[in-house]
Amino acid sequence: MSEISAASGGVSVRRGPYVSMITNRTANLLIRAAALFTVGVFLALVLNLLQVQRNVTLFPPDVISSIFSSAWWVPPCCGSAAALIGLLYPCMDSRLGEPHKLKREWSNVMRCVAVFVGINHASAKVDFANNVQLSLTLAALSVGLWWTFDRSRSGFGLGVIITILATLATQLLVYNGVFQYTSPDFLYVRSWLPCIFFAGVITVGNIGRQLALYEHKVSQEKIHQD
């Protein structure tokens, strides 16, 4: 409850502990969202550069106007998606009461990011006999990434749901001529694209979990100091 006191002919309002706690949570949430947005933008620029250089993804010439030959709308969209996914994962963990059992360290998160970049690099650089072989290989690598760095049912379920939604959204964008894929074999896109989406969701989810864990540790240290 807020406390109101009179001082020097005026009224000063002092926030109670509950209001302060809500304010701190909101500020921490915004900070985490901004950090996740930045990570999403960075990954979008770097990974999309691999696809454009290999001519896997083709944008119209008038659209290629921003850095790294990426369409201007790609980084903000990926950043917003990363912020949403990164905030959703720890929220679902707490709601479902399913703790993350694997080692929770930044070094582990960095390894997960490295594996994800490697999977994307393989999709753009490694030559396979056919798209089916490539898709099966990337699918195995993506599931292996989940098993190695996540291994939670909520993480797998959210990854599948978001992958389906992202694939449908990409199909619609290609259908409407926003960009195109060379040699599409899964309607308008490449068959391995859902594997990339799934690996990306798991990676961003782990980053979001680690940020939430760090925030929790900092808040606990402040409580003990007070």
Side-chain angles (χ1 to χ4, degrees), residues 3-14:
E3 298 178 3
I4 302 176
S5 59
S8 303
V11 177
S12 62
V13 179
R14 185 173 57 188

Side-chain angles (χ1 to χ4, degrees), residues 39-108:
V39 170
V41 169
F42 176 76
L43 289 177
L45 290 173
V46 173
L47 300 181
N48 192 65
L49 175 63
L50 294 175
Q51 304 289 344
V52 172
Q53 283 184 338
R54 188 61 186 266
N55 290 326
V56 174
T57 307
L58 299 178
F59 291 95
D62 57 335
V63 176
I64 303 178
S65 57
S66 61
I67 191 170
F68 293 150
S69 298
S70 172
W72 67 268
W73 49 267
V74 173
C77 288
C78 292
S80 300
L84 178 62
I85 294 169
L87 295 176
L88 185 60
Y89 260 73
C91 178
M92 289 298 295
D93 288 341
S94 61
R95 293 284 184 182
L96 297 177
E98 184 179 15
H100 194 52
K101 300 177 182 178
L102 299 182
K103 186 171 14 177
R104 302 283 294 273
E105 295 177 354
W106 279 112
S107 59
N108 205 42

Side-chain angles (χ1 to χ4, degrees), residues 2 13 33 36 72 86 91 108 124 128 147 166 174-175 192 209 225:
S2 299
V13 179
L36 289 164
W72 67 268
C91 178
N108 205 42
F128 285 82
W147 181 257
V174 176
Y175 176 77
W192 46 259
R209 283 168 166 161
Q225 290 175 358

Side-chain angles (χ1 to χ4, degrees), residues 105-188:
E105 295 177 354
W106 279 112
S107 59
N108 205 42
V109 174
M110 292 300 101
R111 285 193 291 269
C112 182
V113 173
V115 173
F116 169 58
V117 174
I119 292 175
N120 194 285
H121 185 270
S123 70
K125 298 291 185 179
V126 179
D127 293 322
F128 285 82
N130 51 64
N131 284 331
V132 175
Q133 183 180 357
L134 174 60
S135 301
L136 291 176
T137 301
L138 294 183
L141 291 174
S142 299
V143 174
L145 182 142
W146 165 79
W147 181 257
T148 304
F149 300 103
D150 189 323
R151 214 174 292 182
S152 66
R153 290 173 297 178
S154 61
F156 187 85
L158 278 175
V160 171
I161 293 172
I162 296 174
T163 295
I164 293 174
L165 295 177
T167 303
L168 289 175
T170 306
Q171 296 275 16
L172 290 175
L173 290 174
V174 176
Y175 176 77
N176 287 288
V178 177
F179 65 99
Q180 61 179 317
Y181 282 89
T182 56
S183 304
D185 59 326
F186 179 49
L187 295 181
Y188 301 104

